[in-house]
Amino acid sequence: MEPNIIKATISLITRKQMQLEDYFEFLNPDDIRIKGHRIGIDHVIQYYLQGYSSEEILEELPSLNLEKIYATLTYYLKNRTEIDAYMLRLSKWQEQRYQESLANPSPLMQRLKAFKVQREQELLNRA
């Protein structure tokens, strides 16, 4: 599967005279987005690593096109070590943010939890 992705992408890039990096916005070392979208390359790569084909990724992310999906996968395959490290840093950052949100819930989350407890209590009192 990997050689086909690379061949298809090289063909597209050659026809358009583009560099592979032209498909992405490098906002900072830990935030790489697909140009023209708010979608990070991590979303496409996560689907790929879960076994999704390019066409199935397109079904999950319909605002993209196959060209951008192929470019993302080719970039990943050509830079696997660096992108795997990027994905690991991103995963750790996301987990840290999640744990922080559990430890220090926002006022909105506090109100929602209180409302949920109140609603459950009302349902129990009716029974």
Side-chain angles (χ1 to χ4, degrees):
M1 180 177 169
E2 293 175 9
N4 292 337
I5 292 170
I6 293 173
K7 285 179 188 176
T9 305
I10 289 171
S11 174
L12 287 168
I13 290 171
T14 303
R15 282 185 289 174
K16 292 188 173 198
Q17 300 296 314
M18 294 179 71
Q19 296 293 321
L20 190 55
E21 288 78 8
D22 292 341
Y23 284 93
F24 311 108
E25 293 181 69
F26 297 85
L27 302 177
N28 69 54
D30 289 329
D31 192 1
I32 306 171
R33 308 278 174 99
I34 298 171
K35 196 169 276 184
H37 300 271
R38 295 187 326 171
I39 298 170
I41 65 169
D42 53 294
H43 292 97
V44 173
I45 294 167
Q46 285 173 349
Y47 282 119
Y48 173 73
L49 294 175
Q50 292 172 17
Y52 284 63
S53 69
S54 299
E55 291 77 14
E56 291 169 327
I57 295 170
L58 181 60
E59 289 176 18
E60 297 296 322
L61 302 169
S63 66
L64 298 180
N65 59 39
L66 280 175
E67 180 179 352
K68 291 179 180 181
I69 291 169
Y70 288 147
T72 303
L73 297 178
T74 300
Y75 185 76
Y76 170 67
L77 295 171
K78 288 179 136 270
N79 302 284
R80 183 172 273 173
T81 302
E82 294 87 357
I83 300 303
D84 283 344
Y86 164 80
M87 299 285 287
L88 182 60
R89 286 191 310 273
L90 185 59
S91 176
K92 286 182 177 183
W93 178 81
Q94 290 169 336
E95 180 62 24
Q96 178 185 357
R97 297 282 300 175
Y98 174 70
Q99 293 301 325
E100 288 171 3
S101 73
L102 292 177
N104 303 303
S106 69
L108 174 61
M109 288 305 297
Q110 291 174 6
R111 287 193 307 271
L112 288 172
K113 285 181 182 180
F115 178 75
K116 180 181 176 187
V117 168
Q118 178 185 356
R119 181 76 174 133
E120 288 171 351
Q121 197 57 241
E122 289 172 359
L123 291 173
L124 288 174
N125 290 339
R126 289 184 192 166

